[in-house]
Amino acid sequence: MTLEEKVKELYNELKPKCQTEGLNLNWEIHKALRRFRKEHPDLDDLWAREAEGL
């Protein structure tokens, strides 16, 4: 899974909740990504290498 795929997944997952509860979607995605990266350090390293290549 790439970082872009994960962001899209989180966007689709969190958008209805944020609209209903009046939350900031970008902030909620940011928080969810931070949690995910801590739980999956192998993907965090991969995503860091991907970002260097941009």
Side-chain angles (χ1 to χ4, degrees):
M1 173 179 289
T2 66
L3 177 58
E4 183 178 353
E5 291 169 341
K6 185 62 180 175
V7 170
K8 286 179 183 179
E9 177 185 306
L10 289 170
Y11 176 86
N12 292 327
E13 178 183 316
L14 294 171
K15 186 176 180 182
K17 175 187 174 189
C18 290
Q19 288 177 335
T20 303
E21 298 178 17
L23 301 172
N24 183 310
L25 179 58
N26 292 331
W27 180 246
E28 295 302 315
I29 290 172
H30 169 77
K31 291 190 310 186
L33 266 179
R34 287 191 65 184
R35 281 190 304 270
F36 184 83
R37 291 175 73 179
K38 285 181 183 178
E39 295 168 2
H40 300 88
D42 55 323
L43 282 177
D44 188 43
D45 291 340
L46 176 66
W47 293 346
R49 287 193 302 273
E50 281 180 13
E52 290 173 359
L54 294 179

